[in-house]
Amino acid sequence: MICVRGIRIPLKGHRRLDGNLAHELPLATERALALLRLDEGQTRRTTILRRSIDARKPRGPGRAADPNVVIEFTCGVELKDPRAERAVVNRLGNPRVALAAPDAFAWPERAARPLPHRPVVVGAGCAGLFCALALAHAGLAPLLVEQGDDCARRTAAVRAFAQGGPLDPLSNVQFGLGGAGTFSDGKLSTGTRDASHRLILEALHAAGAPERILVDSHPHVGSDLLPGIVERLVAAIGELGGEVRVRTRMTGLGLERGRVASVELERDGTSEAIAASTVILATGHSARDVFELLAGLGVPLEQKPFAVGVRVEHLQATVDADRYGRWAGHPALGAASYRAAWKASGGRRCFTFCMCPGGQVMAAASEPHGVVTNGASETARDGANANAALLVNVLPEDLDSPDPLAGIAWQRRLERAAYEAGGGDFAAPAQLVGDFLRGTPSTGPGSVRPTYPRGVSWGAIDGLFPAYVTDTLREALGALPRTLPFFGEDDAVLTAPESRSSSPVRIPRTDALMHPNVAGLYPVGEGAGWAGGIMSAAADGIRAARAIVASLG
Ligand SMILES: Cc1cc2nc3c(=O)[nH]c(=O)nc-3n(C[C@H](O)[C@H](O)[C@H](O)COP(=O)(O)OP(=O)(O)OC[C@H]3O[C@@H](n4cnc5c(N)ncnc54)[C@H](O)[C@@H]3O)c2cc1C
């Protein structure tokens, strides 16, 4: 296949650019063939391989002007005579034209020999699911255990909690089949590079994610589709010889002479210990009991930097108008997103994270007496508000103890303080940006209605955080309107706290991905401090599976 990059088509004057790939393909193909100096009769098939939006505004004084929006495509062109493709590429000598490299990354081959016991993957989040899928492909018949419910029961529990019902500490936005990813926004963009990314996207597509995740430069699934996708991934693990048990919690780990010997599992109040030589710990950053369990066993853990802050909500229409000018609402663009970062005078960083266009602020608690916010959107991204986390980094030296678990205690204190400040029924403390900047408590919303489902308690959020967090947030909120004017909206809402964006603990591991002090223990994913986000957690799970298969020769 010939790959033609950099096909840039301005939105202006091209009505066929409407976000529908079937409508856009002929336009992109026309440009690709013109560049290749070929006609359609010579081709067997053309495809869009990648689509991105360039909506940069002119620099300098014209900055406030409308952007010259361009849709940029990479096209794949297959010729009727595939042997002629190389000649076409060589004849042109254009750096934008190349033969598509075959994607060499695949699921692991069958393992050379079995393990002494089947591998146990603990935690069915992105890391655990993809690790189990890869181990199953290798014929190692993994057992995947998840403390929370299957997606149907979990969806009911999450919905009931959002509507004011009780919190199920084992089945909520953080815990249950699919992990934190199931009720996530499902943005699949990542700052990491890994050869497995294409494989992960294809597996998600095969499990029901829209085809355009294979093409979009910022792929997005949406929280309405994710539970079905997770159930289909689980079914695939079963079909390949693995076993998945829900409502099954790892409560103990047996260690003998520096290696894993067993795991203790609990289901419906009944415990069983099973012999195990390979345990993949994919329990996520919210499994605080697992960190405590490891610390209690004397397994070395480390502190690591993390970040806390607030969810900020604006009207999506304001964000669209700022980003896209007169093109706001154009079907080729969808709801606009943004990213921002600010280095405060004291050197601390403030940055947006997990921006959810047309989304909703989530009630993401997993412990009683603790409020946690996060954000998500549905596939259509058609909610009235845009939300994003606005975070400040917290460093190990900010903590009051060298204990590896000090960061968890710090997060928990923040979440409990927010619970108290919110009135004790999972309402979240909230303040308008204008009031926050002026240092005045808020009494109610303005034009932006907060979407946090358990309700908000208006007031001041300063008291929840140490001064270095609020000072940095204030400085950033004062500066960001220079590049993103809507950040200057007085009525934007800050809902607190966003405390679970990353793990405050790292579980060390060697190049073979095993804990240096516990043979057979593979810490993976976000909780172990080796990933952040859906794609990197899934890639880390696959990496661990490959390391296990490689260890078998
Ligand atoms: C609302 C929300 C929106 C998000 N949006 C995005 C997004 O758009 N894009 C993105 O890239 N990331 C997003 N994230 C983050 C993303 O979901 C995580 O990075 C990812 O899920 C981490 O995967 P993981 O497998 O490492 O851990 P988790 O997903 O946390 O999975 C860990 C699993 O282990 C289970 N477990 C814990 N302890 C035990 C035990 N003792 N026994 C058995 N099971 C156990 C837990 O119940 C859980 O299901 C979002 C998160 C949330 C909450």
Side-chain angles (χ1 to χ4, degrees), residues 122-128 145-148 173-176 178-181 183-187 189 248-250 282-285 287 289-290 354 362 364 374-376 524-527 532-535 537:
V122 186
C126 312
V145 295
E146 166 55 49
Q147 63 182 353
V173 168
Q174 307 287 351
F175 299 152
F183 296 96
S184 76
D185 190 34
K187 283 181 292 296
S189 38
T248 304
R249 183 160 171 240
M250 182 195 75
T283 44
H285 58 36
D289 56 330
V290 173
C354 187
M362 301 286 284
N374 211 306
V524 303
E526 186 152 339
I534 295 170
M535 291 297 286

mmCIF file of all heavy atoms in Angstrom, residues 122-128 145-148 173-176 178-181 183-187 189 248-250 282-285 287 289-290 354 362 364 374-376 524-527 532-535 537, ligand 1:
data_model
loop_
_atom_site.group_PDB
_atom_site.id
_atom_site.type_symbol
_atom_site.label_atom_id
_atom_site.label_comp_id
_atom_site.label_asym_id
_atom_site.label_seq_id
_atom_site.Cartn_x
_atom_site.Cartn_y
_atom_site.Cartn_z
ATOM 1 N N VAL A 122 -4.525 -9.908 38.626
ATOM 2 C CA VAL A 122 -5.412 -9.313 39.642
ATOM 3 C C VAL A 122 -5.800 -7.912 39.180
ATOM 4 O O VAL A 122 -4.950 -7.031 39.056
ATOM 5 C CB VAL A 122 -4.724 -9.253 41.022
ATOM 6 C CG1 VAL A 122 -5.718 -8.765 42.077
ATOM 7 C CG2 VAL A 122 -4.157 -10.605 41.389
ATOM 8 N N GLY A 123 -7.097 -7.720 38.923
ATOM 9 C CA GLY A 123 -7.600 -6.404 38.488
ATOM 10 C C GLY A 123 -7.904 -6.418 37.005
ATOM 11 O O GLY A 123 -7.028 -6.664 36.180
ATOM 12 N N ALA A 124 -9.187 -6.162 36.676
ATOM 13 C CA ALA A 124 -9.612 -6.210 35.261
ATOM 14 C C ALA A 124 -9.800 -4.810 34.705
ATOM 15 O O ALA A 124 -10.796 -4.514 34.056
ATOM 16 C CB ALA A 124 -10.894 -7.031 35.118
ATOM 17 N N GLY A 125 -8.840 -3.908 34.974
ATOM 18 C CA GLY A 125 -8.819 -2.610 34.298
ATOM 19 C C GLY A 125 -8.145 -2.774 32.945
ATOM 20 O O GLY A 125 -7.962 -3.901 32.452
ATOM 21 N N CYS A 126 -7.758 -1.657 32.353
ATOM 22 C CA CYS A 126 -7.157 -1.721 31.002
ATOM 23 C C CYS A 126 -5.916 -2.598 31.020
ATOM 24 O O CYS A 126 -5.706 -3.422 30.121
ATOM 25 C CB CYS A 126 -6.769 -0.321 30.533
ATOM 26 S SG CYS A 126 -8.064 0.882 30.776
ATOM 27 N N ALA A 127 -5.058 -2.430 32.036
ATOM 28 C CA ALA A 127 -3.807 -3.198 32.102
ATOM 29 C C ALA A 127 -4.102 -4.684 32.272
ATOM 30 O O ALA A 127 -3.553 -5.527 31.546
ATOM 31 C CB ALA A 127 -2.937 -2.679 33.241
ATOM 32 N N GLY A 128 -4.978 -5.020 33.220
ATOM 33 C CA GLY A 128 -5.275 -6.423 33.503
ATOM 34 C C GLY A 128 -5.969 -7.101 32.342
ATOM 35 O O GLY A 128 -5.632 -8.240 31.969
ATOM 36 N N VAL A 145 -8.947 -12.002 37.951
ATOM 37 C CA VAL A 145 -9.915 -11.781 39.041
ATOM 38 C C VAL A 145 -10.155 -10.286 39.222
ATOM 39 O O VAL A 145 -9.235 -9.486 39.164
ATOM 40 C CB VAL A 145 -9.457 -12.414 40.381
ATOM 41 C CG1 VAL A 145 -9.411 -13.916 40.273
ATOM 42 C CG2 VAL A 145 -8.125 -11.860 40.859
ATOM 43 N N GLU A 146 -11.412 -9.948 39.440
ATOM 44 C CA GLU A 146 -11.813 -8.549 39.594
ATOM 45 C C GLU A 146 -12.727 -8.448 40.812
ATOM 46 O O GLU A 146 -13.718 -9.171 40.909
ATOM 47 C CB GLU A 146 -12.531 -8.076 38.321
ATOM 48 C CG GLU A 146 -13.282 -6.772 38.438
ATOM 49 C CD GLU A 146 -12.424 -5.600 38.931
ATOM 50 O OE1 GLU A 146 -11.326 -5.377 38.404
ATOM 51 O OE2 GLU A 146 -12.876 -4.917 39.897
ATOM 52 N N GLN A 147 -12.392 -7.510 41.703
ATOM 53 C CA GLN A 147 -13.170 -7.404 42.942
ATOM 54 C C GLN A 147 -14.586 -6.864 42.709
ATOM 55 O O GLN A 147 -15.513 -7.186 43.447
ATOM 56 C CB GLN A 147 -12.443 -6.525 43.944
ATOM 57 C CG GLN A 147 -12.251 -5.084 43.486
ATOM 58 C CD GLN A 147 -11.495 -4.241 44.484
ATOM 59 O OE1 GLN A 147 -11.214 -4.678 45.596
ATOM 60 N NE2 GLN A 147 -11.162 -3.020 44.112
ATOM 61 N N GLY A 148 -14.767 -6.044 41.664
ATOM 62 C CA GLY A 148 -16.079 -5.432 41.428
ATOM 63 C C GLY A 148 -16.955 -6.297 40.537
ATOM 64 O O GLY A 148 -16.626 -7.439 40.200
ATOM 65 N N VAL A 173 -17.228 3.857 40.121
ATOM 66 C CA VAL A 173 -16.544 4.400 38.926
ATOM 67 C C VAL A 173 -15.100 3.895 38.846
ATOM 68 O O VAL A 173 -14.548 3.745 37.763
ATOM 69 C CB VAL A 173 -16.610 5.947 38.937
ATOM 70 C CG1 VAL A 173 -15.666 6.554 37.899
ATOM 71 C CG2 VAL A 173 -18.033 6.418 38.658
ATOM 72 N N GLN A 174 -14.476 3.602 39.973
ATOM 73 C CA GLN A 174 -13.084 3.123 39.958
ATOM 74 C C GLN A 174 -12.987 1.607 39.817
ATOM 75 O O GLN A 174 -12.050 1.113 39.193
ATOM 76 C CB GLN A 174 -12.368 3.519 41.262
ATOM 77 C CG GLN A 174 -12.433 4.988 41.639
ATOM 78 C CD GLN A 174 -11.561 5.882 40.759
ATOM 79 O OE1 GLN A 174 -10.754 5.400 39.946
ATOM 80 N NE2 GLN A 174 -11.720 7.181 40.890
ATOM 81 N N PHE A 175 -13.912 0.881 40.431
ATOM 82 C CA PHE A 175 -13.772 -0.572 40.569
ATOM 83 C C PHE A 175 -14.882 -1.333 39.847
ATOM 84 O O PHE A 175 -16.046 -0.941 39.898
ATOM 85 C CB PHE A 175 -13.816 -0.969 42.047
ATOM 86 C CG PHE A 175 -12.716 -0.373 42.894
ATOM 87 C CD1 PHE A 175 -12.916 -0.152 44.250
ATOM 88 C CD2 PHE A 175 -11.486 -0.047 42.347
ATOM 89 C CE1 PHE A 175 -11.905 0.388 45.051
ATOM 90 C CE2 PHE A 175 -10.474 0.490 43.131
ATOM 91 C CZ PHE A 175 -10.689 0.707 44.487
ATOM 92 N N GLY A 176 -14.526 -2.490 39.310
ATOM 93 C CA GLY A 176 -15.467 -3.339 38.592
ATOM 94 C C GLY A 176 -14.860 -3.704 37.242
ATOM 95 O O GLY A 176 -13.794 -3.197 36.872
ATOM 96 N N GLY A 178 -13.441 -3.864 33.807
ATOM 97 C CA GLY A 178 -12.990 -2.752 32.949
ATOM 98 C C GLY A 178 -12.259 -1.680 33.730
ATOM 99 O O GLY A 178 -11.683 -0.765 33.141
ATOM 100 N N GLY A 179 -12.302 -1.762 35.075
ATOM 101 C CA GLY A 179 -11.568 -0.808 35.917
ATOM 102 C C GLY A 179 -12.079 0.610 35.735
ATOM 103 O O GLY A 179 -13.240 0.844 35.364
ATOM 104 N N ALA A 180 -11.188 1.568 35.987
ATOM 105 C CA ALA A 180 -11.567 2.982 35.881
ATOM 106 C C ALA A 180 -11.883 3.337 34.431
ATOM 107 O O ALA A 180 -12.549 4.339 34.162
ATOM 108 C CB ALA A 180 -10.432 3.855 36.405
ATOM 109 N N GLY A 181 -11.441 2.500 33.488
ATOM 110 C CA GLY A 181 -11.674 2.789 32.073
ATOM 111 C C GLY A 181 -13.130 2.654 31.650
ATOM 112 O O GLY A 181 -13.560 3.270 30.680
ATOM 113 N N PHE A 183 -16.020 3.618 32.926
ATOM 114 C CA PHE A 183 -16.834 4.841 32.960
ATOM 115 C C PHE A 183 -15.973 6.054 32.646
ATOM 116 O O PHE A 183 -16.285 7.175 33.023
ATOM 117 C CB PHE A 183 -17.557 4.975 34.305
ATOM 118 C CG PHE A 183 -18.537 3.860 34.478
ATOM 119 C CD1 PHE A 183 -18.199 2.718 35.175
ATOM 120 C CD2 PHE A 183 -19.773 3.924 33.854
ATOM 121 C CE1 PHE A 183 -19.075 1.654 35.274
ATOM 122 C CE2 PHE A 183 -20.658 2.867 33.946
ATOM 123 C CZ PHE A 183 -20.317 1.729 34.661
ATOM 124 N N SER A 184 -14.871 5.784 31.947
ATOM 125 C CA SER A 184 -13.978 6.873 31.579
ATOM 126 C C SER A 184 -14.541 7.579 30.364
ATOM 127 O O SER A 184 -15.555 7.168 29.794
ATOM 128 C CB SER A 184 -12.589 6.332 31.262
ATOM 129 O OG SER A 184 -12.595 5.735 29.995
ATOM 130 N N ASP A 185 -13.839 8.612 29.962
ATOM 131 C CA ASP A 185 -14.244 9.327 28.763
ATOM 132 C C ASP A 185 -13.937 8.494 27.515
ATOM 133 O O ASP A 185 -14.538 8.673 26.465
ATOM 134 C CB ASP A 185 -13.457 10.652 28.728
ATOM 135 C CG ASP A 185 -13.975 11.584 27.672
ATOM 136 O OD1 ASP A 185 -15.191 11.570 27.432
ATOM 137 O OD2 ASP A 185 -13.179 12.318 27.080
ATOM 138 N N GLY A 186 -12.950 7.613 27.649
ATOM 139 C CA GLY A 186 -12.580 6.795 26.489
ATOM 140 C C GLY A 186 -11.782 7.548 25.444
ATOM 141 O O GLY A 186 -11.812 7.209 24.262
ATOM 142 N N LYS A 187 -11.048 8.563 25.894
ATOM 143 C CA LYS A 187 -10.091 9.192 24.963
ATOM 144 C C LYS A 187 -8.924 8.229 24.837
ATOM 145 O O LYS A 187 -8.386 7.776 25.856
ATOM 146 C CB LYS A 187 -9.562 10.519 25.540
ATOM 147 C CG LYS A 187 -10.523 11.664 25.448
ATOM 148 C CD LYS A 187 -9.903 12.927 26.007
ATOM 149 C CE LYS A 187 -9.690 12.879 27.493
ATOM 150 N NZ LYS A 187 -10.876 12.774 28.316
ATOM 151 N N SER A 189 -6.126 8.909 23.042
ATOM 152 C CA SER A 189 -4.861 9.542 22.680
ATOM 153 C C SER A 189 -3.894 9.352 23.850
ATOM 154 O O SER A 189 -4.307 9.221 25.001
ATOM 155 C CB SER A 189 -5.069 11.019 22.367
ATOM 156 O OG SER A 189 -6.009 11.574 23.226
ATOM 157 N N THR A 248 -14.506 -11.096 42.879
ATOM 158 C CA THR A 248 -13.479 -11.972 43.449
ATOM 159 C C THR A 248 -12.270 -11.106 43.762
ATOM 160 O O THR A 248 -11.673 -10.524 42.859
ATOM 161 C CB THR A 248 -13.096 -13.082 42.436
ATOM 162 O OG1 THR A 248 -14.283 -13.784 42.073
ATOM 163 C CG2 THR A 248 -12.084 -14.045 43.012
ATOM 164 N N ARG A 249 -11.962 -11.034 45.039
ATOM 165 C CA ARG A 249 -10.980 -10.050 45.482
ATOM 166 C C ARG A 249 -9.727 -10.750 45.981
ATOM 167 O O ARG A 249 -9.824 -11.730 46.730
ATOM 168 C CB ARG A 249 -11.632 -9.249 46.611
ATOM 169 C CG ARG A 249 -10.826 -8.152 47.149
ATOM 170 C CD ARG A 249 -11.752 -7.178 47.875
ATOM 171 N NE ARG A 249 -10.942 -6.232 48.583
ATOM 172 C CZ ARG A 249 -10.973 -6.058 49.876
ATOM 173 N NH1 ARG A 249 -11.817 -6.756 50.634
ATOM 174 N NH2 ARG A 249 -10.188 -5.181 50.445
ATOM 175 N N MET A 250 -8.577 -10.239 45.589
ATOM 176 C CA MET A 250 -7.330 -10.755 46.155
ATOM 177 C C MET A 250 -7.176 -10.133 47.544
ATOM 178 O O MET A 250 -7.108 -8.913 47.679
ATOM 179 C CB MET A 250 -6.138 -10.361 45.291
ATOM 180 C CG MET A 250 -4.835 -10.937 45.829
ATOM 181 S SD MET A 250 -3.378 -10.172 45.109
ATOM 182 C CE MET A 250 -3.361 -8.604 45.936
ATOM 183 N N ALA A 282 -2.445 -5.757 38.692
ATOM 184 C CA ALA A 282 -2.941 -4.664 37.836
ATOM 185 C C ALA A 282 -4.114 -3.999 38.547
ATOM 186 O O ALA A 282 -5.196 -3.847 37.998
ATOM 187 C CB ALA A 282 -3.373 -5.225 36.478
ATOM 188 N N THR A 283 -3.880 -3.595 39.790
ATOM 189 C CA THR A 283 -4.999 -3.228 40.661
ATOM 190 C C THR A 283 -5.334 -1.735 40.652
ATOM 191 O O THR A 283 -6.247 -1.309 41.358
ATOM 192 C CB THR A 283 -4.714 -3.709 42.105
ATOM 193 O OG1 THR A 283 -3.365 -3.411 42.431
ATOM 194 C CG2 THR A 283 -4.909 -5.198 42.219
ATOM 195 N N GLY A 284 -4.612 -0.943 39.862
ATOM 196 C CA GLY A 284 -4.998 0.464 39.706
ATOM 197 C C GLY A 284 -4.560 1.334 40.872
ATOM 198 O O GLY A 284 -4.134 0.845 41.921
ATOM 199 N N HIS A 285 -4.708 2.670 40.693
ATOM 200 C CA HIS A 285 -4.200 3.589 41.720
ATOM 201 C C HIS A 285 -5.144 3.761 42.903
ATOM 202 O O HIS A 285 -4.796 4.369 43.900
ATOM 203 C CB HIS A 285 -3.846 4.942 41.111
ATOM 204 C CG HIS A 285 -4.976 5.640 40.414
ATOM 205 N ND1 HIS A 285 -6.273 5.583 40.836
ATOM 206 C CD2 HIS A 285 -4.986 6.417 39.298
ATOM 207 C CE1 HIS A 285 -7.041 6.299 40.027
ATOM 208 N NE2 HIS A 285 -6.278 6.804 39.072
ATOM 209 N N ALA A 287 -6.651 1.187 44.538
ATOM 210 C CA ALA A 287 -6.672 -0.004 45.408
ATOM 211 C C ALA A 287 -5.715 0.215 46.578
ATOM 212 O O ALA A 287 -4.644 -0.377 46.661
ATOM 213 C CB ALA A 287 -6.285 -1.233 44.601
ATOM 214 N N ASP A 289 -5.944 -0.657 49.610
ATOM 215 C CA ASP A 289 -5.746 -1.830 50.466
ATOM 216 C C ASP A 289 -4.633 -2.723 49.913
ATOM 217 O O ASP A 289 -3.929 -3.388 50.668
ATOM 218 C CB ASP A 289 -7.057 -2.614 50.602
ATOM 219 C CG ASP A 289 -7.625 -3.016 49.248
ATOM 220 O OD1 ASP A 289 -7.399 -2.282 48.256
ATOM 221 O OD2 ASP A 289 -8.282 -4.071 49.157
ATOM 222 N N VAL A 290 -4.467 -2.729 48.584
ATOM 223 C CA VAL A 290 -3.424 -3.580 47.999
ATOM 224 C C VAL A 290 -2.040 -3.023 48.335
ATOM 225 O O VAL A 290 -1.122 -3.774 48.678
ATOM 226 C CB VAL A 290 -3.616 -3.717 46.468
ATOM 227 C CG1 VAL A 290 -2.451 -4.459 45.831
ATOM 228 C CG2 VAL A 290 -4.928 -4.430 46.163
ATOM 229 N N CYS A 354 -7.241 15.318 31.021
ATOM 230 C CA CYS A 354 -8.486 14.588 30.756
ATOM 231 C C CYS A 354 -9.630 15.550 30.432
ATOM 232 O O CYS A 354 -10.650 15.577 31.093
ATOM 233 C CB CYS A 354 -8.845 13.709 31.954
ATOM 234 S SG CYS A 354 -10.256 12.625 31.657
ATOM 235 N N MET A 362 -17.841 13.577 36.921
ATOM 236 C CA MET A 362 -18.263 12.297 37.489
ATOM 237 C C MET A 362 -18.057 12.274 39.003
ATOM 238 O O MET A 362 -17.108 12.885 39.520
ATOM 239 C CB MET A 362 -17.418 11.163 36.895
ATOM 240 C CG MET A 362 -17.501 11.042 35.397
ATOM 241 S SD MET A 362 -19.051 10.356 34.842
ATOM 242 C CE MET A 362 -18.834 8.614 35.216
ATOM 243 N N ALA A 364 -16.616 10.114 41.428
ATOM 244 C CA ALA A 364 -15.694 8.989 41.229
ATOM 245 C C ALA A 364 -15.140 8.449 42.549
ATOM 246 O O ALA A 364 -14.053 7.890 42.586
ATOM 247 C CB ALA A 364 -14.562 9.430 40.308
ATOM 248 N N ASN A 374 -14.058 13.417 38.678
ATOM 249 C CA ASN A 374 -13.367 13.053 37.442
ATOM 250 C C ASN A 374 -14.265 13.526 36.308
ATOM 251 O O ASN A 374 -15.257 14.215 36.589
ATOM 252 C CB ASN A 374 -13.115 11.536 37.378
ATOM 253 C CG ASN A 374 -11.852 11.205 36.601
ATOM 254 O OD1 ASN A 374 -11.700 11.630 35.460
ATOM 255 N ND2 ASN A 374 -10.938 10.482 37.207
ATOM 256 N N GLY A 375 -13.982 13.164 35.076
ATOM 257 C CA GLY A 375 -14.838 13.639 33.985
ATOM 258 C C GLY A 375 -14.982 12.611 32.896
ATOM 259 O O GLY A 375 -14.100 11.762 32.708
ATOM 260 N N ALA A 376 -16.103 12.664 32.177
ATOM 261 C CA ALA A 376 -16.333 11.745 31.067
ATOM 262 C C ALA A 376 -17.311 12.385 30.094
ATOM 263 O O ALA A 376 -17.932 13.394 30.408
ATOM 264 C CB ALA A 376 -16.884 10.415 31.577
ATOM 265 N N VAL A 524 1.893 -3.921 37.216
ATOM 266 C CA VAL A 524 1.648 -3.262 35.920
ATOM 267 C C VAL A 524 0.582 -2.184 36.037
ATOM 268 O O VAL A 524 -0.195 -2.137 36.989
ATOM 269 C CB VAL A 524 1.224 -4.268 34.800
ATOM 270 C CG1 VAL A 524 2.243 -5.351 34.610
ATOM 271 C CG2 VAL A 524 -0.141 -4.852 35.071
ATOM 272 N N GLY A 525 0.556 -1.331 35.046
ATOM 273 C CA GLY A 525 -0.529 -0.362 34.897
ATOM 274 C C GLY A 525 -0.334 0.879 35.736
ATOM 275 O O GLY A 525 0.742 1.169 36.265
ATOM 276 N N GLU A 526 -1.440 1.607 35.863
ATOM 277 C CA GLU A 526 -1.371 2.930 36.470
ATOM 278 C C GLU A 526 -1.098 2.867 37.982
ATOM 279 O O GLU A 526 -0.357 3.687 38.516
ATOM 280 C CB GLU A 526 -2.695 3.651 36.206
ATOM 281 C CG GLU A 526 -2.665 5.075 36.666
ATOM 282 C CD GLU A 526 -3.598 5.970 35.878
ATOM 283 O OE1 GLU A 526 -3.985 5.626 34.753
ATOM 284 O OE2 GLU A 526 -3.935 7.019 36.407
ATOM 285 N N GLY A 527 -1.687 1.892 38.644
ATOM 286 C CA GLY A 527 -1.525 1.798 40.098
ATOM 287 C C GLY A 527 -0.084 1.532 40.483
ATOM 288 O O GLY A 527 0.409 2.027 41.500
ATOM 289 N N GLY A 532 -0.177 5.737 32.612
ATOM 290 C CA GLY A 532 -1.161 6.771 32.921
ATOM 291 C C GLY A 532 -2.118 6.868 31.755
ATOM 292 O O GLY A 532 -1.732 7.284 30.669
ATOM 293 N N GLY A 533 -3.346 6.423 31.940
ATOM 294 C CA GLY A 533 -4.321 6.479 30.857
ATOM 295 C C GLY A 533 -4.576 5.108 30.260
ATOM 296 O O GLY A 533 -3.819 4.150 30.498
ATOM 297 N N ILE A 534 -5.636 5.051 29.488
ATOM 298 C CA ILE A 534 -6.125 3.774 28.954
ATOM 299 C C ILE A 534 -5.077 3.098 28.073
ATOM 300 O O ILE A 534 -4.738 1.928 28.272
ATOM 301 C CB ILE A 534 -7.416 4.018 28.131
ATOM 302 C CG1 ILE A 534 -8.528 4.525 29.048
ATOM 303 C CG2 ILE A 534 -7.836 2.763 27.380
ATOM 304 C CD1 ILE A 534 -9.764 5.024 28.334
ATOM 305 N N MET A 535 -4.555 3.837 27.093
ATOM 306 C CA MET A 535 -3.657 3.216 26.123
ATOM 307 C C MET A 535 -2.357 2.753 26.778
ATOM 308 O O MET A 535 -1.872 1.650 26.515
ATOM 309 C CB MET A 535 -3.340 4.196 24.987
ATOM 310 C CG MET A 535 -4.515 4.498 24.096
ATOM 311 S SD MET A 535 -5.144 3.062 23.212
ATOM 312 C CE MET A 535 -3.887 2.826 21.981
ATOM 313 N N ALA A 537 -1.830 2.052 29.920
ATOM 314 C CA ALA A 537 -2.062 0.944 30.863
ATOM 315 C C ALA A 537 -2.234 -0.361 30.079
ATOM 316 O O ALA A 537 -1.665 -1.399 30.444
ATOM 317 C CB ALA A 537 -3.289 1.236 31.721
HETATM 318 C C1 LIG B 1 -14.132 9.044 35.041
HETATM 319 C C2 LIG B 1 -12.790 8.694 34.437
HETATM 320 C C3 LIG B 1 -12.482 9.168 33.163
HETATM 321 C C4 LIG B 1 -11.259 8.831 32.559
HETATM 322 N N1 LIG B 1 -11.049 9.205 31.270
HETATM 323 C C5 LIG B 1 -9.936 8.763 30.629
HETATM 324 C C6 LIG B 1 -9.753 9.018 29.241
HETATM 325 O O1 LIG B 1 -10.582 9.620 28.570
HETATM 326 N N2 LIG B 1 -8.611 8.555 28.651
HETATM 327 C C7 LIG B 1 -7.659 7.878 29.353
HETATM 328 O O2 LIG B 1 -6.648 7.481 28.766
HETATM 329 N N3 LIG B 1 -7.814 7.615 30.670
HETATM 330 C C8 LIG B 1 -8.942 8.019 31.310
HETATM 331 N N4 LIG B 1 -9.125 7.707 32.636
HETATM 332 C C9 LIG B 1 -8.055 6.979 33.334
HETATM 333 C C10 LIG B 1 -8.061 5.496 32.964
HETATM 334 O O3 LIG B 1 -9.322 4.959 33.194
HETATM 335 C C11 LIG B 1 -6.989 4.788 33.774
HETATM 336 O O4 LIG B 1 -5.747 5.354 33.414
HETATM 337 C C12 LIG B 1 -6.945 3.303 33.504
HETATM 338 O O5 LIG B 1 -8.185 2.724 33.783
HETATM 339 C C13 LIG B 1 -5.869 2.640 34.344
HETATM 340 O O6 LIG B 1 -5.919 1.263 34.096
HETATM 341 P P1 LIG B 1 -5.355 0.193 35.122
HETATM 342 O O7 LIG B 1 -5.706 -1.120 34.541
HETATM 343 O O8 LIG B 1 -3.940 0.470 35.432
HETATM 344 O O9 LIG B 1 -6.160 0.405 36.488
HETATM 345 P P2 LIG B 1 -7.773 0.463 36.825
HETATM 346 O O10 LIG B 1 -8.484 0.828 35.588
HETATM 347 O O11 LIG B 1 -7.844 1.316 37.992
HETATM 348 O O12 LIG B 1 -8.128 -1.032 37.143
HETATM 349 C C14 LIG B 1 -7.766 -1.672 38.322
HETATM 350 C C15 LIG B 1 -8.804 -2.750 38.628
HETATM 351 O O13 LIG B 1 -8.281 -3.588 39.656
HETATM 352 C C16 LIG B 1 -9.339 -3.971 40.509
HETATM 353 N N5 LIG B 1 -8.796 -4.363 41.821
HETATM 354 C C17 LIG B 1 -8.199 -3.551 42.727
HETATM 355 N N6 LIG B 1 -7.842 -4.262 43.812
HETATM 356 C C18 LIG B 1 -8.226 -5.533 43.595
HETATM 357 C C19 LIG B 1 -8.151 -6.735 44.367
HETATM 358 N N7 LIG B 1 -7.580 -6.747 45.573
HETATM 359 N N8 LIG B 1 -8.657 -7.874 43.845
HETATM 360 C C20 LIG B 1 -9.239 -7.861 42.605
HETATM 361 N N9 LIG B 1 -9.365 -6.759 41.848
HETATM 362 C C21 LIG B 1 -8.847 -5.612 42.328
HETATM 363 C C22 LIG B 1 -10.164 -2.715 40.602
HETATM 364 O O14 LIG B 1 -11.485 -3.032 41.044
HETATM 365 C C23 LIG B 1 -10.111 -2.200 39.169
HETATM 366 O O15 LIG B 1 -11.190 -2.665 38.404
HETATM 367 C C24 LIG B 1 -10.324 8.037 33.271
HETATM 368 C C25 LIG B 1 -10.624 7.598 34.571
HETATM 369 C C26 LIG B 1 -11.842 7.904 35.142
HETATM 370 C C27 LIG B 1 -12.171 7.400 36.517
#
